[in-house]
Amino acid sequence: MAWSAENATKAFLRTLKLGNKAAEPDVAAFVSALAAGSGSRLLVDVPAGPAGPTMLALLTAAQQTGGRAACIVRGPEELRASIEFLGPEHAARVNLVVGDAARLLLGGGGLGGADFVLVDCRLENHARVFGAAQASAAEAGGGFVVVRNAALCDLPAVDGSGRGLRVDLLPIGGGLRVCRVPTAARRSQWVVRVDECTGEEHVFRITSPRKKWIEA
Protein backbone atom coordinates (compact mmCIF):
# COMPACT_ATOMS: atom_id res chain seq x y z
CA MET A 1 0.00 0.00 0.00
CA ALA A 2 1.50 3.32 -1.07
CA TRP A 3 1.11 6.09 1.50
CA SER A 4 -0.16 9.52 0.44
CA ALA A 5 0.61 12.23 2.98
CA GLU A 6 -1.42 14.69 0.91
CA ASN A 7 -4.58 12.56 1.01
CA ALA A 8 -4.13 11.91 4.72
CA THR A 9 -3.75 15.61 5.51
CA LYS A 10 -6.73 16.67 3.43
CA ALA A 11 -9.00 14.01 4.93
CA PHE A 12 -7.81 14.92 8.45
CA LEU A 13 -8.59 18.60 7.98
CA ARG A 14 -11.94 17.97 6.29
CA THR A 15 -12.98 15.69 9.12
CA LEU A 16 -12.12 18.37 11.66
CA LYS A 17 -14.36 20.77 9.75
CA LEU A 18 -17.36 18.50 10.29
CA GLY A 19 -17.90 20.39 13.53
CA ASN A 20 -20.41 19.16 16.10
CA LYS A 21 -21.22 15.98 14.18
CA ALA A 22 -17.69 14.74 14.85
CA ALA A 23 -18.26 14.20 18.57
CA GLU A 24 -15.08 12.09 18.73
CA PRO A 25 -12.65 14.36 16.82
CA ASP A 26 -9.48 12.43 17.73
CA VAL A 27 -10.86 9.06 16.63
CA ALA A 28 -12.68 10.38 13.57
CA ALA A 29 -9.75 12.47 12.32
CA PHE A 30 -7.28 9.64 12.83
CA VAL A 31 -9.27 6.95 10.99
CA SER A 32 -10.07 9.40 8.19
CA ALA A 33 -6.39 10.26 7.72
CA LEU A 34 -5.33 6.60 7.91
CA ALA A 35 -7.92 5.46 5.37
CA ALA A 36 -7.23 8.30 2.95
CA GLY A 37 -3.46 8.13 3.30
CA SER A 38 -3.43 4.40 2.53
CA GLY A 39 -5.60 4.94 -0.55
CA SER A 40 -8.41 2.69 0.66
CA ARG A 41 -11.07 1.95 -1.96
CA LEU A 42 -13.81 0.17 0.00
CA LEU A 43 -14.25 1.55 3.51
CA VAL A 44 -16.68 -0.15 5.87
CA ASP A 45 -17.84 0.99 9.31
CA VAL A 46 -19.36 -1.62 11.63
CA PRO A 47 -20.75 0.33 14.61
CA ALA A 48 -22.34 -1.13 17.73
CA GLY A 49 -25.46 0.95 17.04
CA PRO A 50 -26.40 3.38 14.27
CA ALA A 51 -23.90 5.25 12.12
CA GLY A 52 -22.04 8.01 13.91
CA PRO A 53 -19.10 10.40 13.55
CA THR A 54 -16.71 7.69 12.37
CA MET A 55 -18.95 6.95 9.39
CA LEU A 56 -18.69 10.59 8.37
CA ALA A 57 -14.92 10.30 8.77
CA LEU A 58 -14.75 7.28 6.45
CA LEU A 59 -17.04 8.98 3.96
CA THR A 60 -14.66 11.95 3.91
CA ALA A 61 -11.73 9.60 3.26
CA ALA A 62 -13.62 7.77 0.50
CA GLN A 63 -14.34 11.06 -1.24
CA GLN A 64 -10.63 11.86 -1.07
CA THR A 65 -9.53 8.52 -2.56
CA GLY A 66 -12.42 8.10 -4.99
CA GLY A 67 -13.53 4.99 -3.13
CA ARG A 68 -16.81 3.71 -1.67
CA ALA A 69 -18.06 4.01 1.90
CA ALA A 70 -20.43 1.54 3.56
CA CYS A 71 -21.94 1.00 6.97
CA ILE A 72 -23.30 -2.30 8.29
CA VAL A 73 -25.97 -2.01 10.99
CA ARG A 74 -27.90 -4.68 12.88
CA GLY A 75 -31.53 -3.85 12.09
CA PRO A 76 -34.19 -1.45 10.77
CA GLU A 77 -34.10 0.71 13.91
CA GLU A 78 -30.37 1.34 13.55
CA LEU A 79 -30.88 1.99 9.85
CA ARG A 80 -33.47 4.70 10.50
CA ALA A 81 -31.29 6.31 13.16
CA SER A 82 -28.31 6.21 10.78
CA ILE A 83 -30.20 8.02 8.03
CA GLU A 84 -31.38 10.61 10.52
CA PHE A 85 -27.86 11.22 11.83
CA LEU A 86 -26.19 11.39 8.43
CA GLY A 87 -28.82 13.57 6.83
CA PRO A 88 -30.09 13.23 3.24
CA GLU A 89 -26.89 14.44 1.55
CA HIS A 90 -24.46 12.16 3.38
CA ALA A 91 -26.83 9.19 3.58
CA ALA A 92 -27.13 9.18 -0.21
CA ARG A 93 -23.36 8.69 -0.47
CA VAL A 94 -23.11 5.82 2.01
CA ASN A 95 -24.06 2.23 1.25
CA LEU A 96 -26.16 1.50 4.34
CA VAL A 97 -26.63 -2.25 4.78
CA VAL A 98 -28.61 -4.24 7.35
CA GLY A 99 -27.34 -7.72 8.15
CA ASP A 100 -24.66 -10.00 9.56
CA ALA A 101 -21.41 -8.01 9.32
CA ALA A 102 -19.13 -11.05 9.32
CA ARG A 103 -21.03 -12.73 6.48
CA LEU A 104 -21.22 -9.53 4.46
CA LEU A 105 -17.49 -8.87 4.80
CA LEU A 106 -16.78 -12.34 3.49
CA GLY A 107 -18.52 -11.63 0.22
CA GLY A 108 -22.21 -11.13 0.79
CA GLY A 109 -23.88 -7.99 -0.54
CA GLY A 110 -20.88 -6.79 -2.54
CA LEU A 111 -18.82 -5.87 0.53
CA GLY A 112 -16.20 -8.59 0.22
CA GLY A 113 -12.68 -7.34 -0.35
CA ALA A 114 -13.02 -4.27 1.88
CA ASP A 115 -9.55 -2.81 2.38
CA PHE A 116 -10.45 -0.64 5.38
CA VAL A 117 -12.80 -1.87 8.09
CA LEU A 118 -13.62 -0.12 11.34
CA VAL A 119 -15.18 -2.37 14.01
CA ASP A 120 -16.66 -1.22 17.31
CA CYS A 121 -15.47 -3.48 20.14
CA ARG A 122 -18.85 -3.02 21.87
CA LEU A 123 -20.45 -5.28 19.25
CA GLU A 124 -21.65 -8.53 20.75
CA ASN A 125 -19.87 -10.56 18.04
CA HIS A 126 -16.91 -8.20 17.54
CA ALA A 127 -14.32 -11.01 17.56
CA ARG A 128 -16.07 -12.82 14.70
CA VAL A 129 -16.41 -9.59 12.72
CA PHE A 130 -12.74 -8.79 13.37
CA GLY A 131 -11.68 -12.13 11.90
CA ALA A 132 -13.90 -11.69 8.84
CA ALA A 133 -12.57 -8.16 8.33
CA GLN A 134 -9.00 -9.47 8.26
CA ALA A 135 -9.92 -12.05 5.64
CA SER A 136 -11.68 -9.37 3.59
CA ALA A 137 -8.66 -7.04 3.70
CA ALA A 138 -6.28 -9.86 2.79
CA GLU A 139 -8.38 -10.78 -0.24
CA ALA A 140 -8.40 -7.12 -1.27
CA GLY A 141 -4.63 -7.24 -1.57
CA GLY A 142 -3.96 -5.84 1.88
CA GLY A 143 -5.55 -3.20 4.04
CA PHE A 144 -6.39 -2.05 7.56
CA VAL A 145 -8.74 -3.36 10.22
CA VAL A 146 -9.22 -0.91 13.08
CA VAL A 147 -11.03 -1.78 16.31
CA ARG A 148 -12.36 1.17 18.27
CA ASN A 149 -13.12 1.14 22.01
CA ALA A 150 -10.48 -1.59 22.22
CA ALA A 151 -9.80 -0.76 25.87
CA LEU A 152 -13.35 -1.79 26.75
CA CYS A 153 -13.07 -5.40 25.62
CA ASP A 154 -10.68 -8.28 26.01
CA LEU A 155 -9.42 -9.14 22.56
CA PRO A 156 -6.72 -11.82 22.54
CA ALA A 157 -3.29 -10.91 21.24
CA VAL A 158 -2.75 -11.33 17.51
CA ASP A 159 0.45 -13.04 16.48
CA GLY A 160 1.52 -11.66 13.14
CA SER A 161 5.03 -13.13 13.09
CA GLY A 162 5.92 -14.52 9.70
CA ARG A 163 2.77 -13.16 8.07
CA GLY A 164 3.68 -9.51 7.63
CA LEU A 165 0.83 -8.58 9.97
CA ARG A 166 1.37 -5.53 12.15
CA VAL A 167 -0.81 -4.64 15.13
CA ASP A 168 -0.64 -1.47 17.23
CA LEU A 169 -2.76 -0.39 20.19
CA LEU A 170 -3.10 3.39 20.30
CA PRO A 171 -4.41 5.47 23.25
CA ILE A 172 -6.94 7.38 21.15
CA GLY A 173 -10.53 7.67 22.33
CA GLY A 174 -11.48 4.39 24.01
CA GLY A 175 -8.41 2.78 22.48
CA LEU A 176 -7.74 1.97 18.82
CA ARG A 177 -6.35 -1.37 17.76
CA VAL A 178 -4.83 -0.87 14.31
CA CYS A 179 -4.16 -4.04 12.36
CA ARG A 180 -2.33 -3.78 9.05
CA VAL A 181 -3.19 -6.85 6.99
CA PRO A 182 -0.95 -8.07 4.15
CA THR A 183 -2.25 -9.62 0.97
CA ALA A 184 -3.62 -13.15 1.24
CA ALA A 185 -0.79 -15.65 1.36
CA ARG A 186 -0.59 -17.96 -1.60
CA ARG A 187 0.54 -21.55 -1.77
CA SER A 188 2.30 -23.06 -4.75
CA GLN A 189 1.42 -26.24 -6.57
CA TRP A 190 3.35 -27.90 -9.38
CA VAL A 191 1.37 -29.40 -12.25
CA VAL A 192 2.85 -31.70 -14.88
CA ARG A 193 1.22 -31.95 -18.29
CA VAL A 194 2.33 -34.38 -21.01
CA ASP A 195 2.01 -33.45 -24.67
CA GLU A 196 0.25 -36.46 -26.24
CA CYS A 197 1.78 -35.76 -29.65
CA THR A 198 5.44 -35.26 -28.71
CA GLY A 199 5.60 -36.95 -25.32
CA GLU A 200 7.22 -33.87 -23.85
CA GLU A 201 6.55 -33.00 -20.25
CA HIS A 202 5.59 -29.43 -19.36
CA VAL A 203 5.80 -28.31 -15.73
CA PHE A 204 3.68 -25.40 -14.50
CA ARG A 205 3.68 -23.67 -11.13
CA ILE A 206 0.28 -22.33 -10.04
CA THR A 207 -0.76 -20.50 -6.91
CA SER A 208 -4.03 -20.41 -5.05
CA PRO A 209 -5.09 -18.07 -2.22
CA ARG A 210 -5.19 -19.44 1.27
CA LYS A 211 -8.53 -19.01 3.00
CA LYS A 212 -7.13 -18.92 6.52
CA TRP A 213 -7.14 -15.78 8.62
CA ILE A 214 -6.30 -14.94 12.18
CA GLU A 215 -9.17 -15.17 14.61
CA ALA A 216 -9.36 -12.52 17.27
Side-chain angles (χ1 to χ4, degrees):
M1 291 172 282
W3 178 259
S4 170
E6 181 181 1
N7 276 348
T9 301
K10 287 181 178 179
F12 182 89
L13 294 176
R14 288 175 179 173
T15 301
L16 290 180
K17 290 179 181 179
L18 290 174
N20 293 332
K21 277 194 178 260
E24 300 175 333
D26 292 341
V27 174
F30 177 84
V31 298
S32 181
L34 180 62
S38 59
S40 301
R41 304 295 295 176
L42 177 53
L43 302 81
V44 181
D45 190 11
V46 188
T54 54
M55 186 63 254
L56 288 174
L58 293 187
L59 177 59
T60 299
Q63 291 171 335
Q64 184 65 40
T65 65
R68 295 188 293 134
C71 182
I72 304 174
V73 294
R74 293 178 297 178
E77 184 177 341
E78 288 81 5
L79 177 61
R80 287 191 295 270
S82 297
I83 295 173
E84 182 178 351
F85 172 82
L86 294 171
E89 181 180 355
H90 294 311
R93 297 175 181 174
V94 175
N95 182 14
L96 289 164
V97 183
V98 176
D100 183 326
R103 183 185 63 80
L104 290 167
L105 288 170
L106 291 175
L111 296 181
D115 53 0
F116 193 98
V117 182
L118 180 64
V119 182
D120 194 328
C121 209
R122 294 174 297 184
L123 273 172
E124 184 177 350
N125 62 338
H126 61 266
R128 178 168 167 260
V129 176
F130 179 63
Q134 287 185 74
S136 185
E139 291 299 326
F144 284 92
V145 178
V146 180
V147 179
R148 57 189 295 246
N149 295 310
L152 304 179
C153 59
D154 186 20
L155 279 173
V158 178
D159 178 13
S161 59
R163 301 183 181 91
L165 182 68
R166 177 177 175 179
V167 181
D168 297 291
L169 183 60
L170 306 178
I172 302 175
L176 285 180
R177 189 181 191 185
V178 180
C179 178
R180 180 167 181 171
V181 183
T183 185
R186 295 179 179 272
R187 54 190 175 190
S188 299
Q189 182 180 2
W190 294 97
V191 177
V192 179
R193 296 286 176 83
V194 179
D195 189 314
E196 294 181 358
C197 296
T198 64
E200 292 181 317
E201 290 187 349
H202 301 276
V203 181
F204 302 91
R205 185 180 183 183
I206 61 174
T207 58
S208 59
R210 295 173 61 185
K211 296 301 182 181
K212 296 181 180 179
W213 62 86
I214 303 167
E215 294 286 356

Short mmCIF file of all heavy atoms in Angstrom, two decimals, residues 116-145:
data_model
loop_
_atom_site.label_atom_id
_atom_site.label_comp_id
_atom_site.label_asym_id
_atom_site.label_seq_id
_atom_site.Cartn_x
_atom_site.Cartn_y
_atom_site.Cartn_z
N PHE A 116 -10.50 -1.39 4.13
CA PHE A 116 -10.45 -0.64 5.38
C PHE A 116 -11.74 -0.90 6.13
O PHE A 116 -12.82 -0.56 5.65
CB PHE A 116 -10.29 0.87 5.13
CG PHE A 116 -9.92 1.63 6.39
CD1 PHE A 116 -8.59 1.97 6.63
CD2 PHE A 116 -10.87 1.98 7.32
CE1 PHE A 116 -8.22 2.66 7.79
CE2 PHE A 116 -10.52 2.66 8.48
CZ PHE A 116 -9.20 3.00 8.72
N VAL A 117 -11.62 -1.53 7.29
CA VAL A 117 -12.80 -1.87 8.09
C VAL A 117 -12.61 -1.34 9.50
O VAL A 117 -11.57 -1.57 10.13
CB VAL A 117 -13.05 -3.39 8.13
CG1 VAL A 117 -14.32 -3.69 8.92
CG2 VAL A 117 -13.14 -3.96 6.72
N LEU A 118 -13.62 -0.64 9.98
CA LEU A 118 -13.62 -0.12 11.34
C LEU A 118 -14.69 -0.86 12.14
O LEU A 118 -15.86 -0.83 11.79
CB LEU A 118 -13.91 1.39 11.33
CG LEU A 118 -13.95 2.09 12.69
CD1 LEU A 118 -12.58 2.04 13.36
CD2 LEU A 118 -14.39 3.55 12.51
N VAL A 119 -14.28 -1.54 13.20
CA VAL A 119 -15.18 -2.37 14.01
C VAL A 119 -15.26 -1.81 15.42
O VAL A 119 -14.23 -1.52 16.04
CB VAL A 119 -14.69 -3.83 14.07
CG1 VAL A 119 -15.66 -4.69 14.87
CG2 VAL A 119 -14.51 -4.40 12.66
N ASP A 120 -16.48 -1.67 15.93
CA ASP A 120 -16.66 -1.22 17.31
C ASP A 120 -16.59 -2.43 18.24
O ASP A 120 -17.34 -3.40 18.08
CB ASP A 120 -18.02 -0.53 17.46
CG ASP A 120 -18.12 0.26 18.77
OD1 ASP A 120 -17.50 -0.15 19.77
OD2 ASP A 120 -18.83 1.28 18.78
N CYS A 121 -15.68 -2.36 19.22
CA CYS A 121 -15.47 -3.48 20.14
C CYS A 121 -16.70 -3.75 21.03
O CYS A 121 -16.77 -4.79 21.68
CB CYS A 121 -14.26 -3.21 21.02
SG CYS A 121 -13.40 -4.69 21.56
N ARG A 122 -17.66 -2.82 21.05
CA ARG A 122 -18.85 -3.02 21.87
C ARG A 122 -19.87 -3.92 21.17
O ARG A 122 -20.89 -4.28 21.78
CB ARG A 122 -19.49 -1.65 22.19
CG ARG A 122 -18.61 -0.78 23.08
CD ARG A 122 -19.19 0.61 23.25
NE ARG A 122 -19.25 1.33 21.98
CZ ARG A 122 -19.64 2.60 21.86
NH1 ARG A 122 -20.01 3.26 22.94
NH2 ARG A 122 -19.67 3.17 20.67
N LEU A 123 -19.60 -4.31 19.94
CA LEU A 123 -20.45 -5.28 19.25
C LEU A 123 -20.43 -6.61 19.99
O LEU A 123 -19.37 -7.05 20.45
CB LEU A 123 -19.96 -5.51 17.83
CG LEU A 123 -20.44 -4.59 16.72
CD1 LEU A 123 -19.65 -4.89 15.46
CD2 LEU A 123 -21.91 -4.76 16.46
N GLU A 124 -21.57 -7.25 20.06
CA GLU A 124 -21.65 -8.53 20.75
C GLU A 124 -20.76 -9.57 20.09
O GLU A 124 -20.13 -10.40 20.77
CB GLU A 124 -23.10 -9.02 20.78
CG GLU A 124 -23.30 -10.30 21.56
CD GLU A 124 -24.76 -10.71 21.64
OE1 GLU A 124 -25.63 -9.90 21.24
OE2 GLU A 124 -25.03 -11.83 22.08
N ASN A 125 -20.67 -9.57 18.77
CA ASN A 125 -19.87 -10.56 18.04
C ASN A 125 -18.64 -9.91 17.40
O ASN A 125 -18.24 -10.27 16.29
CB ASN A 125 -20.72 -11.25 16.97
CG ASN A 125 -21.22 -10.26 15.92
OD1 ASN A 125 -21.30 -9.06 16.17
ND2 ASN A 125 -21.55 -10.76 14.74
N HIS A 126 -18.02 -8.96 18.12
CA HIS A 126 -16.91 -8.20 17.54
C HIS A 126 -15.73 -9.09 17.13
O HIS A 126 -15.07 -8.82 16.14
CB HIS A 126 -16.44 -7.12 18.51
CG HIS A 126 -15.93 -7.64 19.81
ND1 HIS A 126 -16.73 -7.77 20.92
CD2 HIS A 126 -14.70 -8.09 20.18
CE1 HIS A 126 -16.02 -8.26 21.92
NE2 HIS A 126 -14.79 -8.47 21.50
N ALA A 127 -15.45 -10.15 17.90
CA ALA A 127 -14.32 -11.01 17.56
C ALA A 127 -14.53 -11.71 16.21
O ALA A 127 -13.60 -11.82 15.40
CB ALA A 127 -14.10 -12.06 18.66
N ARG A 128 -15.75 -12.16 15.97
CA ARG A 128 -16.07 -12.82 14.70
C ARG A 128 -15.98 -11.83 13.54
O ARG A 128 -15.44 -12.15 12.47
CB ARG A 128 -17.47 -13.43 14.78
CG ARG A 128 -17.96 -14.09 13.51
CD ARG A 128 -19.22 -14.91 13.76
NE ARG A 128 -19.88 -15.29 12.54
CZ ARG A 128 -20.94 -14.67 12.03
NH1 ARG A 128 -21.46 -13.63 12.67
NH2 ARG A 128 -21.48 -15.07 10.91
N VAL A 129 -16.47 -10.62 13.76
CA VAL A 129 -16.41 -9.59 12.72
C VAL A 129 -14.96 -9.20 12.45
O VAL A 129 -14.55 -8.98 11.31
CB VAL A 129 -17.23 -8.35 13.14
CG1 VAL A 129 -17.08 -7.24 12.11
CG2 VAL A 129 -18.70 -8.73 13.30
N PHE A 130 -14.16 -9.12 13.51
CA PHE A 130 -12.74 -8.79 13.37
C PHE A 130 -12.02 -9.81 12.49
O PHE A 130 -11.25 -9.46 11.60
CB PHE A 130 -12.11 -8.72 14.76
CG PHE A 130 -10.64 -8.40 14.76
CD1 PHE A 130 -10.18 -7.19 14.27
CD2 PHE A 130 -9.72 -9.31 15.27
CE1 PHE A 130 -8.82 -6.89 14.29
CE2 PHE A 130 -8.37 -9.02 15.29
CZ PHE A 130 -7.92 -7.81 14.79
N GLY A 131 -12.29 -11.09 12.71
CA GLY A 131 -11.68 -12.13 11.90
C GLY A 131 -12.10 -12.04 10.44
O GLY A 131 -11.29 -12.18 9.53
N ALA A 132 -13.40 -11.81 10.21
CA ALA A 132 -13.90 -11.69 8.84
C ALA A 132 -13.31 -10.47 8.15
O ALA A 132 -13.01 -10.50 6.96
CB ALA A 132 -15.43 -11.61 8.86
N ALA A 133 -13.14 -9.38 8.90
CA ALA A 133 -12.57 -8.16 8.33
C ALA A 133 -11.13 -8.38 7.88
O ALA A 133 -10.70 -7.87 6.84
CB ALA A 133 -12.64 -7.03 9.34
N GLN A 134 -10.37 -9.16 8.66
CA GLN A 134 -9.00 -9.47 8.26
C GLN A 134 -8.97 -10.27 6.96
O GLN A 134 -8.15 -10.01 6.07
CB GLN A 134 -8.31 -10.27 9.37
CG GLN A 134 -7.96 -9.45 10.60
CD GLN A 134 -7.18 -10.30 11.58
OE1 GLN A 134 -6.01 -10.59 11.39
NE2 GLN A 134 -7.84 -10.70 12.65
N ALA A 135 -9.85 -11.25 6.86
CA ALA A 135 -9.92 -12.05 5.64
C ALA A 135 -10.29 -11.18 4.44
O ALA A 135 -9.76 -11.32 3.35
CB ALA A 135 -10.93 -13.18 5.82
N SER A 136 -11.23 -10.26 4.66
CA SER A 136 -11.68 -9.37 3.59
C SER A 136 -10.53 -8.48 3.11
O SER A 136 -10.31 -8.31 1.91
CB SER A 136 -12.84 -8.51 4.10
OG SER A 136 -13.37 -7.70 3.08
N ALA A 137 -9.78 -7.91 4.06
CA ALA A 137 -8.66 -7.04 3.70
C ALA A 137 -7.56 -7.82 2.99
O ALA A 137 -6.93 -7.31 2.05
CB ALA A 137 -8.12 -6.35 4.95
N ALA A 138 -7.31 -9.04 3.43
CA ALA A 138 -6.28 -9.86 2.79
C ALA A 138 -6.66 -10.16 1.34
O ALA A 138 -5.81 -10.09 0.44
CB ALA A 138 -6.09 -11.16 3.57
N GLU A 139 -7.93 -10.49 1.11
CA GLU A 139 -8.38 -10.78 -0.24
C GLU A 139 -8.36 -9.55 -1.13
O GLU A 139 -8.26 -9.64 -2.35
CB GLU A 139 -9.79 -11.38 -0.20
CG GLU A 139 -9.87 -12.77 0.41
CD GLU A 139 -9.04 -13.80 -0.35
OE1 GLU A 139 -8.94 -13.70 -1.59
OE2 GLU A 139 -8.48 -14.69 0.30
N ALA A 140 -8.44 -8.37 -0.51
CA ALA A 140 -8.40 -7.12 -1.27
C ALA A 140 -6.99 -6.78 -1.72
O ALA A 140 -6.79 -5.83 -2.47
CB ALA A 140 -8.97 -5.98 -0.44
N GLY A 141 -6.02 -7.54 -1.25
CA GLY A 141 -4.63 -7.24 -1.57
C GLY A 141 -3.93 -6.51 -0.45
O GLY A 141 -2.86 -5.93 -0.66
N GLY A 142 -4.53 -6.53 0.74
CA GLY A 142 -3.96 -5.84 1.88
C GLY A 142 -4.82 -4.67 2.30
O GLY A 142 -5.57 -4.11 1.49
N GLY A 143 -4.75 -4.31 3.57
CA GLY A 143 -5.55 -3.20 4.04
C GLY A 143 -5.44 -3.05 5.55
O GLY A 143 -4.53 -3.57 6.18
N PHE A 144 -6.39 -2.31 6.12
CA PHE A 144 -6.39 -2.05 7.56
C PHE A 144 -7.70 -2.50 8.19
O PHE A 144 -8.77 -2.31 7.61
CB PHE A 144 -6.22 -0.56 7.83
CG PHE A 144 -4.82 -0.05 7.63
CD1 PHE A 144 -4.41 0.47 6.41
CD2 PHE A 144 -3.89 -0.08 8.68
CE1 PHE A 144 -3.11 0.94 6.23
CE2 PHE A 144 -2.60 0.38 8.51
CZ PHE A 144 -2.21 0.90 7.28
N VAL A 145 -7.58 -3.08 9.38
CA VAL A 145 -8.74 -3.36 10.22
C VAL A 145 -8.48 -2.63 11.53
O VAL A 145 -7.47 -2.86 12.20
CB VAL A 145 -8.92 -4.87 10.49
CG1 VAL A 145 -10.11 -5.09 11.41
CG2 VAL A 145 -9.11 -5.62 9.17
#
